[in-house]
Amino acid sequence: MIRYLKQTKSILAVVIAISLSWSIAYGQQNSSVLKDRQQAFIDLAFGMFIHYNIPTYMEDDWADPDASPAIFNPKRLNTDQWAEAAKSAHMSYGCLTTKHHSGFAIWDTKTTDYNVMNSPLKQDVVKAYVTSFRKAGLKVMLYYSILDIHHQLRPGHITTEHIKMVKDQLTELLTNYGEIEALIIDGWDAPWSRISYDDVPFEEIYRLIKTLQPNCLVMDLNAAKYPTEALFYTDIKSYEQGAGQHISKEQNKLPALSCLPLQANWFWKSSFPTSSLKDVESLVNDNLIPFNQVYCNFILNVAPNRDGIIDDNALESLKKIGQLYQRPKNLPTLPPNDGPIISSNLAKMKSANSSWSYDMNIMDFANDDKFSTFWRAHPSVKEPWLEIDLGREQPFNSVVITEEKSNVSAYTLEYYAEGKWTPLANGRDEKRVKIIRFDTVWAQKLRARFGSFKEAPAIAEFGIYNERR
C-alpha cells in the first residue's frame, strides 16, 4: 500500500510539473501575442464608434427594455455610407453596438427573439456592417453590453442561464463574422451597473473570447471604478470622456482608448440634423494628435439616424477632420506592462487584520472592493503590516497592492500554511499599483509588511489572485 501511495504521489508530481511547464510556456506565448496586439491597436490610432440600436428610435439613450422590435425600422440603411464616412476622416476601423443595455440584438441570433430579425428590417445589421467596413479596407470591432435589462441580466437576478446566453451570444459574434479586432464590453463591474466579475465570471468570458479568436482584444469600459495605473480586467485601458474619465497625457504608459461622441448623445436624437457638433479643430488638436503620442487610440462616436444613414452635418464634420488629420506612419512603441488582471479577487471581503491603524481607516477598508476607501497605518507604527485570511488554504500566484497614492517603496510578503509563516517575496517598487506574480503557493493567509515609505501607508485594495497562465 505504501509503495502504491509513493508511486501515485510520484506520478502526480510529474503531471503537475508537466502542467506547470506547459502553463508557463503558454503564458509567455500569450503575453507576447497580447503585447503585439496592443501595439497594433495603438497603431490604428483613430476609429468610428457607431451607436446604432433600438435607442436610436427613442429620445433617450437608455431605451425602454420592453420596446417593441417594430420601432426598429430604417428605410435607407446604408452601412457602405458609414464606411466611406469613416475613411473620409482617415479613420482605420469601426465599432458597432451589437447589443446595448436594453438587450436588443442587431444580428441574427439564435439566443433570443428580441432581435433585428423580428423587426420590420429583418436584416442582420452586424453582417452588413462588417461587410461594408472590410470592403472599404477598414478593421472591424464590436461593442457588447453585459447589462441587459430586457432579459433581466441585472444585479440580484443573474442566473446560470444568463451566463450561458452571454457565452452563446459572444460565440455567435466571434464565429460568424470573420476576424474581430476587439470587443468593447460595457455594463460590467461599473458603479452604475453593479454586475461584478464574480456575478458574470470575467475569467471564463475572457478565456472564451481568446479561445474563439486569440487575437481579439478585450476592452471593458471599467475606468469609473478601477485605477488608471494598471490593466484591471481589460487588455486596453478605456476612458469615456463624457463620464469624466480622462487619460493623462503626461503619465500614461498603458495601451489606451479614449471615446467621445461627435454629437450631443451616443445614440441619434431628432435634434441632431440641426444642432451643433463638437468642434473639429479641438477634436483633432486636443484629442487625436496628443492621444496618439501617449499610446492612446481615439474613437469618435457618430450616430446614424432612424433611416440608417449618417446626417449631412456629421458627414461634413468628418470630412473636415480628414483635412486636418493624417494617421501618423510611426507611432510610439508601447513600453512593457504587467499585463491584465483577469481572475477573481480571492481577498475581496475576507477577514483582514493589521497593525495599529486610524479608527476611521481600519483594515477592512483594504479589501472592500472599493478603490475610494483605504486602510491607513497609524504613523507611530514603524513596521506596519496588513494581513488577509482566506478562511482555508487555497492556491494563488498573484498579489496586487493598490495604494491611495504612490508612497511605499519597499515591502515583503509572507504566507501562512501548515501552521507557520513562510517568506514569499521582497519588492522595491514605487508605483501606486504594485503587481507581484510568483509560482503558485497554497496558503490560508497572506501578509504584507511595509518597510520603506514617506508617510504612513494607505492601502486602497489588497488583492489576491490565482490566475491561469
Side-chain angles (χ1 to χ4, degrees):
M1 183 65 173
I2 294 175
R3 180 184 299 175
Y4 172 77
L5 289 174
K6 287 182 177 179
Q7 288 176 340
T8 302
K9 188 174 182 180
S10 176
I11 292 171
L12 181 60
V14 171
V15 170
I16 291 173
I18 293 172
S19 176
L20 180 60
S21 175
W22 179 88
S23 178
I24 292 171
Y26 178 78
Q28 290 171 342
Q29 179 184 7
N30 274 1
S31 176
S32 176
V33 169
L34 179 57
K35 181 181 177 182
D36 290 345
R37 296 303 302 151
Q38 289 170 332
Q39 184 67 55
F41 176 78
I42 291 166
D43 292 343
L44 288 176
F46 185 31
M48 178 186 282
F49 220 162
I50 307 163
H51 273 62
Y52 180 65
N53 203 288
I54 214 161
T56 303
Y57 299 86
M58 296 185 164
E59 291 299 317
D60 196 319
D61 279 358
W62 286 69
D64 178 356
D66 296 318
S68 170
I71 69 172
F72 194 87
N73 189 21
K75 303 297 186 182
R76 301 165 58 196
L77 179 68
N78 187 347
T79 53
D80 284 348
Q81 184 221 32
W82 304 354
E84 289 306 313
K87 287 187 68 175
S88 75
H90 295 138
M91 294 170 167
S92 55
Y93 68 92
C95 182
L96 175 66
T97 52
T98 64
K99 186 184 75 167
H100 204 247
H101 310 320
S102 58
F104 187 72
I106 59 171
W107 75 94
D108 185 6
T109 179
K110 303 299 184 285
T111 63
T112 175
D113 292 335
Y114 198 55
N115 71 69
V116 69
M117 306 310 287
N118 292 311
S119 76
L121 180 64
K122 300 187 186 304
Q123 180 183 347
D124 188 326
V125 180
V126 173
K127 183 177 181 180
Y129 151 74
V130 300
T131 300
S132 292
F133 271 64
R134 290 195 181 110
K135 182 173 63 177
L138 300 168
K139 302 292 186 181
V140 167
M141 301 180 192
L142 300 175
Y143 164 107
Y144 178 88
S145 173
I146 294 291
L147 178 66
D148 183 335
I149 305 173
H150 178 84
H151 297 96
Q152 299 299 307
L153 201 167
R154 57 190 177 89
H157 296 263
I158 298 170
T159 65
T160 55
E161 287 75 19
H162 283 128
I163 296 170
K164 182 179 185 302
M165 182 187 75
V166 169
K167 291 179 177 179
D168 289 347
Q169 289 186 339
L170 290 175
T171 297
E172 289 177 340
L173 291 170
L174 294 173
T175 302
N176 299 330
Y177 299 95
E179 183 175 3
I180 305 301
E181 297 288 317
L183 274 172
I184 295 181
I185 301 180
D186 200 4
W188 202 5
D189 211 18
W192 52 270
S193 73
R194 297 174 295 115
I195 298 173
S196 77
Y197 293 133
D198 299 316
D199 297 331
V200 177
F202 183 90
E203 188 168 14
E204 287 185 26
I205 303 300
Y206 185 90
R207 295 296 180 187
L208 172 66
I209 294 168
K210 298 295 184 176
T211 298
L212 294 169
Q213 292 209 26
N215 290 331
C216 182
L217 292 166
V218 178
M219 289 182 274
D220 193 19
L221 299 176
N222 63 12
K225 175 178 177 179
Y226 289 94
T228 61
E229 295 91 343
L231 297 172
F232 286 95
Y233 304 98
T234 187
D235 291 334
I236 304 290
K237 198 70 189 176
S238 304
Y239 298 87
E240 184 180 334
Q241 291 190 51
Q245 302 161 16
H246 299 285
I247 187 170
S248 170
K249 298 175 185 177
E250 295 75 33
Q251 298 180 353
N252 179 63
K253 301 298 181 185
L254 294 174
L257 171 75
S258 182
C259 57
L260 192 68
L262 173 64
Q263 295 128 319
N265 297 71
W266 292 101
F267 287 98
W268 189 87
K269 302 294 174 275
S270 56
S271 62
F272 278 12
T274 56
S275 60
S276 60
L277 307 179
K278 289 189 174 62
D279 180 70
V280 166
E281 290 191 2
S282 177
L283 288 172
V284 173
N285 296 323
D286 298 333
N287 291 272
L288 252 176
I289 292 175
F291 287 172
N292 284 176
Q293 296 306 310
V294 291
Y295 323 109
C296 183
N297 187 316
F298 182 53
I299 184 168
L300 181 67
N301 188 75
V302 183
N305 62 29
R306 291 172 185 169
D307 278 335
I309 58 175
I310 296 172
D311 291 330
D312 289 342
N313 59 348
L315 293 174
E316 185 62 27
S317 286
L318 291 170
K319 289 177 182 177
K320 289 179 180 178
I321 290 173
Q323 293 167 3
L324 297 173
Y325 174 81
Q326 286 279 356
R327 182 159 53 109
K329 292 182 179 179
N330 296 306
L331 286 162
T333 300
L334 180 68
N337 63 73
D338 292 308
I341 297 295
I342 63 172
S343 67
S344 295
N345 181 6
L346 302 175
K348 185 168 66 176
M349 304 298 184
K350 293 295 173 64
S351 177
N353 200 5
S354 75
S355 55
W356 184 20
S357 61
Y358 279 108
D359 290 347
M360 297 300 291
N361 302 104
I362 61 174
M363 64 288 290
D364 306 310
F365 288 116
N367 63 332
D368 62 354
D369 199 36
K370 296 177 182 176
F371 290 89
S372 57
T373 62
F374 49 89
W375 163 77
R376 186 188 296 280
H378 195 277
S380 66
V381 179
K382 302 303 181 186
E383 297 182 358
W385 55 269
L386 177 64
E387 177 186 306
I388 303 296
D389 188 340
L390 300 176
R392 60 179 175 82
E393 290 193 3
Q394 54 187 298
F396 54 87
N397 53 26
S398 304
V399 170
V400 180
I401 301 172
T402 303
E403 299 186 70
E404 178 197 15
K405 60 183 179 181
S406 178
N407 173 36
V408 172
S409 58
Y411 59 88
T412 62
L413 297 177
E414 53 189 0
Y415 65 92
Y416 184 81
E418 298 181 344
K420 64 178 182 180
W421 287 98
T422 302
L424 178 59
N426 295 306
R428 300 196 67 86
D429 185 347
E430 295 186 355
K431 295 178 183 177
R432 180 195 173 205
V433 180
K434 308 176 196 306
I435 299 177
I436 309 109
R437 292 188 166 98
F438 41 84
D439 291 339
T440 300
V441 298
W442 282 75
Q444 178 182 336
K445 299 178 184 179
L446 181 72
R447 180 186 293 162
R449 295 185 181 275
F450 304 106
S452 180
F453 42 86
K454 301 170 187 174
E455 55 189 66
I459 306 303
E461 281 297 309
F462 188 18
I464 304 173
Y465 307 87
N466 186 35
E467 301 221 312
R468 287 192 283 171
R469 297 174 181 170

